[in-house]
Amino acid sequence: AAPAPAPAVEFRTGDIVAVDGRPGDWELTAPAGDAWEVEPAQAANRERTTVPAAALRPLADAPHVRRGDLVMQNYAEQWQAAVVGNVYRLGRWVAVKTHPATEHAPAWNQLDDVETLVVVTAEQVESAVRLDVVAGDHRGRIVQAVVTRHAGKFRVTCSCKDGLEVCRIGRQVGWCSSLEAARELWEWHA
């Protein structure tokens, strides 16, 4: 009996793939009927071309992020998100991220290892608590984590600790399970 045909692969814009007959990795930029517009997944010289959809092959180690994704580094202390631009291999998968402009700084780019990135939504980032707190000479913040196992929990920082976390015991980070608990920790500290 003949082997069963391989299931059809659904590709999406931004996927990094292999293209039969062409060396290197390729980013899918736009569907074009029975073809795709692609560009080389590299740092520069990303000249766009069109290839038949039948020539596309998924990569076993394809990165989990794609152009346009909103990402944060996979560290609980992160509070800024960035938008993914070019994704390519540099010994490992890397992504160029663009951080938005703020009132204190212009937009800026950063190259980051894809393995350290988590895709987030704008709603996750915008809804996270970022609260400035003041008591006497103490100036601090209550910040809600968006990623890692601490997502949804709160940490308290203070200028008297050079912006480091406030905690009741030793030097461990004092993660609080609720905003009320974080406020209580701030009041205890101040």
Side-chain angles (χ1 to χ4, degrees):
V9 176
E10 298 252 350
F11 292 109
R12 299 180 296 169
T13 300
D15 283 349
I16 307 291
V17 300
V19 176
D20 288 344
R22 294 178 184 252
D25 304 313
W26 296 82
E27 179 183 346
L28 302 180
T29 57
D34 289 338
W36 276 87
E37 290 183 16
V38 298
E39 58 184 49
Q42 55 193 27
N45 302 323
R46 295 177 68 105
E47 189 172 325
R48 201 174 276 198
T49 189
T50 302
V51 298
L56 303 178
R57 300 288 173 252
L59 293 176
D61 70 337
H64 67 280
V65 301
R66 61 178 53 85
R67 180 183 302 278
D69 282 348
L70 188 63
V71 295
M72 294 179 87
Q73 285 186 313
N74 194 24
Y75 306 113
E77 299 81 9
Q78 293 297 306
W79 58 274
Q80 290 183 315
V83 177
V84 173
N86 291 347
V87 178
Y88 56 94
R89 286 186 206 260
L90 192 61
R92 63 196 186 291
W93 289 108
V94 295
V96 176
K97 305 180 314 186
T98 300
H99 294 268
T102 66
E103 63 183 82
H104 305 293
W108 55 283
N109 292 334
Q110 178 182 24
L111 185 66
D112 212 340
D113 189 328
V114 165
E115 291 302 313
T116 69
L117 302 178
V118 176
V119 178
V120 295
T121 65
E123 293 78 25
Q124 285 176 289
V125 176
E126 291 166 8
S127 67
V129 172
R130 307 283 182 258
L131 182 63
D132 292 327
V133 286
V134 177
D137 291 336
H138 294 277
R139 307 278 180 271
R141 294 190 85 200
I142 296 175
V143 180
Q144 187 176 20
V146 176
V147 296
T148 76
R149 65 186 173 92
H150 296 293
K153 294 183 180 177
F154 301 83
R155 66 188 181 102
V156 179
T157 64
C158 187
S159 59
C160 76
K161 299 171 118 342
D162 294 325
L164 295 176
E165 291 83 6
V166 172
C167 60
R168 292 184 192 258
I169 304 169
R171 295 181 62 181
Q172 66 186 6
V173 176
W175 289 102
C176 300
S177 59
S178 68
L179 181 56
E180 294 76 30
R183 286 183 188 274
E184 288 174 14
L185 179 60
W186 172 255
E187 289 170 11
W188 169 83
H189 170 74

